[in-house]
Amino acid sequence: MKMNYKENCPLKDFTTLKIGGPAARLYQPSTPEKLEQVLHDAKERNVRLFILGNGSNVLFADEGFDGWIINLAENWSGIEDLENHRVRVKSGTTNEQLAQHAARHGLAGYEFASGIPGTIGGAVYMNAGAYDGETKDVLVSVDYMDLDGQIHTIAAEDLELGYRHSWFENHPGIILSAVYQFQPGEPMQIAEKIADLKKRRWDKQPMDKASAGSTFKRPKGSYASKLIHECGLQGTHINDAQVSTKHAGFLINNGNATCKDFLDLASLVIETVKKETGFELELEVRIIR
């Protein structure tokens, strides 16, 4: 089977931070058979792999990635309605697409994720959450492919879902689809809740700027944004990497920030917060070198 791919593809074009050098190869398989072929070829050549969805929580190095990127996004999207208010969703589907589908069909429970700028695969991988809701609240099971091309199903209760963590962080596997359990609701009310949460996001967060969402994990006993704000760091920048003046928990790219700029700024924030408050912040963004 001949597989199409792009060579030396700029990864900044595939992330919401708009940062990152070239990938040796970028594949966008659209079927399990094509995905399995990429895995087979990579294994034969002993090259590194990275699975990328919407690129909303990753930071690639300025030098790029010397392995192969498997991009599962629009080419791997789709929603299937099942019985008893359940849906099966392909991992490249965005959280917004699922939330809007659920609203149209009177399925309540995914409103919290409507504004999370990533895919279902990413949401499962990190147990994404917002506004008092988490993926684990509605997830039933996940289908994934191991690195040998075999497909497995794993129940949500076996995924070790915790704060920004899942079983997949320590077990290689490519999330193919997920089954969710929702509750019946009124489409209009669900849509209104989504609209309200969207407005709250746009009022409080720099949604018009390139970012990876919340840059730091929530420290026990406080909030990253509160600590950063109290340290007077909002507006601090290193070249085009800046602590957002709108929301202190976001480090943004004002145009031409590099990975080095971003990491230098993140280190400055972490060191300052530690020195002035005693809290030690931890990056939520995944750094891929």
Side-chain angles (χ1 to χ4, degrees):
M1 183 188 302
K2 177 175 170 53
M3 294 297 301
N4 294 323
Y5 58 85
K6 300 175 182 178
E7 290 187 307
N8 298 316
C9 192
L11 289 168
K12 67 178 182 179
D13 296 339
F14 291 84
T15 70
T16 57
L17 251 177
K18 305 303 179 187
I19 292 175
R25 290 186 183 182
L26 185 139
Y27 288 88
Q28 295 177 304
S30 56
T31 66
E33 293 76 21
K34 291 180 179 179
L35 176 56
E36 183 182 356
Q37 184 65 52
V38 177
L39 294 177
H40 176 268
D41 292 349
K43 193 171 186 179
E44 275 198 339
R45 292 165 173 77
N46 193 30
V47 299
R48 293 198 300 152
L49 288 173
F50 183 77
I51 313 305
L52 182 68
N54 199 44
S56 61
N57 195 48
V58 293
L59 173 63
F60 284 105
D62 297 318
E63 298 77 22
F65 184 74
D66 62 3
W68 296 356
I69 300 290
I70 297 177
N71 181 217
L72 301 182
E74 292 180 8
N75 53 303
W76 200 281
S77 65
I79 302 172
E80 176 190 2
D81 291 303
L82 306 175
E83 296 180 342
N84 300 318
H85 315 299
R86 290 187 174 189
V87 296
R88 183 186 306 278
V89 190
K90 296 180 76 172
S91 61
T93 308
T94 67
N95 293 302
E96 174 71 13
Q97 288 171 332
L98 176 55
Q100 293 296 339
H101 176 92
R104 290 193 299 271
H105 292 77
L107 301 173
Y110 209 64
E111 297 91 327
F112 73 89
S114 60
I116 297 175
T119 60
I120 294 303
V124 169
Y125 184 92
M126 64 178 295
N127 184 32
Y131 297 111
D132 300 319
E134 290 182 291
T135 298
K136 69 176 184 179
D137 299 336
V138 288
L139 187 66
V140 175
S141 64
V142 173
D143 287 344
Y144 73 94
M145 182 179 288
D146 65 29
L147 299 186
D148 292 320
Q150 299 299 308
I151 297 177
H152 309 267
T153 299
I154 184 169
E157 54 261 35
D158 296 323
L159 282 175
E160 304 169 7
L161 297 169
Y163 177 68
R164 303 301 178 261
H165 171 80
S166 79
W167 178 88
F168 286 105
E169 286 192 33
N170 303 313
H171 299 81
I174 302 172
I175 298 167
L176 304 178
S177 64
V179 174
Y180 291 89
Q181 176 69 66
F182 297 129
Q183 301 300 320
E186 290 296 325
M188 185 66 71
Q189 292 179 0
I190 297 170
E192 287 175 352
K193 185 173 181 180
I194 289 173
D196 176 62
L197 292 179
K198 182 177 182 179
K199 183 178 185 302
R200 287 166 64 182
R201 280 183 181 275
W202 278 85
D203 285 347
K204 297 179 180 179
Q205 300 175 6
M207 301 296 290
D208 58 333
K209 300 291 186 180
S211 81
S214 296
T215 305
F216 303 97
K217 293 181 180 180
R218 183 177 68 236
K220 188 174 182 180
S222 190
Y223 293 91
S225 58
K226 175 177 180 291
L227 296 169
I228 296 167
H229 173 75
E230 289 175 350
C231 289
L233 289 166
Q234 283 184 268
T236 301
H237 68 94
I238 294 178
N239 297 323
D240 274 354
Q242 181 185 41
V243 180
S244 170
T245 56
K246 193 171 187 179
H247 191 299
F250 285 65
L251 268 56
I252 62 174
N253 175 6
N254 270 324
N256 295 301
T258 64
C259 178
K260 184 179 186 304
D261 294 335
F262 190 93
L263 292 178
D264 285 350
L265 179 61
S267 294
L268 174 62
V269 170
I270 291 170
E271 290 168 8
T272 304
V273 169
K274 174 69 172 177
K275 180 180 178 181
E276 297 191 13
T277 72
F279 283 92
E280 191 156 354
L281 298 181
E282 181 183 352
L283 281 173
E284 183 172 308
V285 180
R286 297 177 64 198
I287 305 166
I288 312 300
R289 303 180 190 276

